[in-house]
Amino acid sequence: KHAKNVISPNLTTCHESVARPGLSVYCCPPKPESEEPFIDFQFPDPSSPLRLRRAAHLVDNDYIAKYRNAVSIMKSLPYDDPRSLLRQANLHCIYCTGAYKQKNSDIPLHVHRSWLFFPWHRMVLYFHERILGSLIGDDSFALPFWNWDNPDGMVIPEMYVTGSLVDTDRENSHLPPQVVDLNYNLQEKGLGPEEQIKINMALMYTQMVSGAKTTELFMGCPYKGGEGGFCEGPGTIELAPHNTLHDWTGTGLNPGREDMGSFYSAGRDPIFYGHHGNVDRLWEVWRRLQGEYYNSEITDPEWLDSYFFFHDEKRQLVRIKFQDVVNITRLRYAYEEVELPWLNARP
Ligand code: C2O
């Protein structure tokens, strides 16, 4: 059946957007994507290496050196190159500040605060990871994930604190050994590490289990294209720890807590990709937890057929649908199995 209210951008409409009250930004590509030919997404070869995403606090020095090298190269590419870090970051700026209008309507497209959140960010990471790998000639390269739902991962992982993975616009008082506040509301709670870890675990239980018993509660509301398709209702994890850690990481010296604290700038900080690695992983974890009770998959064709455009590692513009990213094995990546200590942290 034909899904008419699918979400997709109108690539001819990229325009200046409002980053926050008082700040306009222009994040569009230097040449309009609407003039570039695109291809439809193709799954990677099923016999290609499975990229294993590992916890950022558990990886070895060889991996860190490799990742840093890839990011340095990415940073050195010119803005013309869609693989450059600034262009990668600007994808987030474009889609999150409403720089595109939707196809067939004048309504701005936003990928937060609804069921667009998980699959759209999965696409960003998918292409980002493959670009990094290709820049260093490693087709098994995988992004790390910031395992902030595990007590051992509840600080900014060391790898991000030096070298090309640093961002100087992070909150100084939140650098290691400060324990993350997964429910940060711009106020310092001033708790000792053990107490903070305990309330972090309870929050994880709420967001993953007791507060996320339906697909809509976890994924967000069903945002559709066109008039009347708008909704605002973020899923549990999107609200916290996702949003809260963006704010917690960016420096309070900047008005929008840039870089991590604002949509337009978040992707400039390499930790953004580790943060979203964990968000993406928790989507998989949640599905597995639901599996025993009911079918948590979204089957609405208007979600499945929604499509976006990204440049791949060959700089080719690709059209990709949400239905293409529901199975991570087909995307040839996986997450290292780690414990889920919050499963027993019912408050
Ligand atoms: Cu598009 Cu972490 O946000």
Side-chain angles (χ1 to χ4, degrees):
K1 107 166 168 248
H2 186 64
K4 72 179 188 352
N5 290 325
V6 299
I7 289 280
S8 70
N10 177 344
L11 295 183
T12 67
T13 59
C14 199
H15 61 286
E16 190 179 76
S17 45
V18 180
R20 61 175 142 78
L23 180 69
S24 293
V25 283
Y26 183 79
C27 320
C28 301
K31 291 184 218 88
E33 289 168 326
S34 53
E35 285 160 26
E36 272 181 59
F38 65 83
I39 56 170
D40 277 312
F41 178 72
Q42 298 231 309
F43 286 101
D45 189 325
S47 66
S48 60
L50 188 68
R51 296 165 192 260
L52 184 65
R53 295 184 184 171
R54 292 181 296 160
H57 69 282
L58 296 176
V59 295
D60 57 25
N61 288 335
D62 286 350
Y63 172 82
I64 296 173
K66 197 161 72 170
Y67 183 29
R68 285 187 177 160
N69 181 28
V71 172
S72 304
I73 299 172
M74 183 175 257
K75 285 183 175 175
S76 74
L77 299 173
Y79 191 68
D80 255 359
D81 192 326
R83 301 171 304 172
S84 62
L85 187 65
L86 194 52
R87 288 286 296 283
Q88 297 281 298
N90 277 354
L91 287 169
H92 198 255
C93 178
I94 290 168
Y95 282 104
C96 309
T97 63
Y100 281 134
K101 291 178 175 166
Q102 297 180 22
K103 199 161 178 73
N104 306 325
S105 85
D106 271 343
I107 304 168
L109 176 51
H110 288 274
V111 296
H112 286 93
R113 307 184 75 78
S114 75
W115 70 1
L116 307 182
F117 174 76
F118 282 103
W120 186 84
H121 289 84
R122 174 167 287 177
M123 290 174 172
V124 170
L125 293 197
Y126 174 80
F127 290 103
H128 186 74
E129 175 172 78
R130 297 177 70 92
I131 291 169
L132 287 168
S134 91
L135 291 174
I136 54 169
D138 179 350
D139 66 357
S140 66
F141 175 80
L143 286 168
F145 62 88
W146 179 8
N147 193 190
W148 36 249
D149 57 307
N150 185 305
D152 296 335
M154 286 184 189
V155 288
I156 292 182
E158 281 298 324
M159 69 152 78
Y160 296 107
V161 186
T162 52
S164 65
L165 302 176
V166 168
D167 184 307
T168 49
D169 282 1
R170 292 192 194 130
E171 174 57 35
N172 249 304
S173 63
H174 293 167
L175 295 178
Q178 181 59 46
V179 173
V180 300
D181 176 358
L182 297 185
N183 210 7
Y184 185 60
N185 63 356
L186 310 178
Q187 312 284 321
E188 304 303 323
K189 295 198 174 66
L191 302 175
E194 266 160 39
E195 222 183 325
Q196 182 65 62
I197 287 171
K198 214 171 144 210
I199 64 166
N200 285 345
M201 301 276 261
L203 178 79
M204 285 306 305
Y205 184 87
T206 306
Q207 304 303 74
M208 290 294 289
V209 184
S210 54
K213 292 209 152 87
T214 67
T215 301
E216 184 163 338
L217 285 170
F218 183 78
M219 297 294 291
C221 66
Y223 183 117
K224 297 195 176 179
E227 300 293 337
F230 174 83
C231 73
E232 183 173 281
T236 49
I237 289 292
E238 180 180 358
L239 275 177
H242 167 261
N243 287 352
T244 47
L245 277 188
H246 270 283
D247 286 336
W248 184 87
T249 306
T251 172
L253 297 175
N254 291 334
R257 300 193 76 96
E258 293 93 339
D259 286 331
M260 273 288 273
S262 286
F263 288 145
Y264 80 92
S265 53
R268 297 176 192 171
D269 187 336
I271 206 170
F272 171 88
Y273 306 90
H275 180 40
H276 274 277
N278 205 38
V279 168
D280 187 66
R281 175 185 147 262
L282 290 173
W283 181 13
E284 291 302 293
V285 170
W286 177 82
R287 286 162 88 162
R288 208 186 320 148
L289 296 176
Q290 300 315 301
E292 299 155 29
Y293 305 105
Y294 85 118
N295 181 4
S296 57
E297 306 302 332
I298 297 177
T299 52
D300 189 324
E302 292 178 333
W303 184 84
L304 290 168
D305 290 344
S306 286
Y307 60 89
F308 294 87
F309 296 87
F310 291 89
H311 286 94
D312 69 8
E313 65 276 19
K314 298 185 186 109
R315 285 178 270 193
Q316 168 72 56
L317 192 62
V318 176
R319 177 171 67 180
I320 181 168
K321 299 179 173 180
F322 283 172
Q323 62 188 263
D324 296 325
V325 299
V326 291
N327 180 333
I328 65 173
T329 312
R330 287 194 80 189
L331 296 175
R332 302 306 296 149
Y333 73 89
Y335 287 102
E336 171 182 42
E337 286 296 331
V338 291
E339 277 175 53
L340 306 174
W342 41 264
L343 258 186
N344 304 312
R346 177 185 212 140

